[in-house]
Amino acid sequence: MIGSLMMRTSVVILVIGMLWGIEMGIRQNFAMAPAHAHFNLVGGVLLFVFGLYYRLVPAAGDSALAKWQGRLHIAGAILFPAGVAIVIGKGEAFIALPIIGSLIVLAAVALFGLIVFRT
């Protein structure tokens, strides 16, 4: 169940990320490229890979820990690049946002590692 949610969310994020990249290309303004890249990689690719693992190893995806990991990663995958974009657009006063987002992603990846080693 969590694997399917993660994969579906990743596809939505990838479509948004692709549209964002096209918009940057049309405008020839690539200032948001770091946020765009993190959005696609952390939110699109990594989220899909984790979801795929849960689909391929159902025992891993059925655990309560996997559900927490998935939700945590989705939250971090949105907050981290959004925070990067806000810092780029508004300045260093908002540096706490990408820091918190990156720590959430780190916690989710660490939980995923634990789940992989346990199954």
Side-chain angles (χ1 to χ4, degrees), residues 13 38-39 42-44 47 72-82 101 104-105:
I13 287 173
H38 283 90
F39 192 63
V42 175
L47 192 59
L72 195 62
H73 191 93
I74 290 169
I78 293 168
L79 179 60
F80 179 32
I104 290 171
V105 170

Side-chain angles (χ1 to χ4, degrees), residues 80-103:
F80 179 32
V84 171
I86 291 168
V87 167
I88 292 169
K90 302 290 184 183
E92 293 291 320
F94 298 95
I95 195 68
L97 295 174
I99 291 172
I100 293 167
S102 67
L103 292 174

Side-chain angles (χ1 to χ4, degrees), residues 19 37 52 103:
L19 291 171
L52 186 60
L103 292 174

Side-chain angles (χ1 to χ4, degrees), residues 38-63:
H38 283 90
F39 192 63
N40 283 341
L41 291 174
V42 175
V45 176
L46 196 56
L47 192 59
F48 191 87
V49 170
F50 289 172
L52 186 60
Y53 178 80
Y54 291 143
R55 293 286 301 273
L56 293 173
V57 184
D62 289 339
S63 72

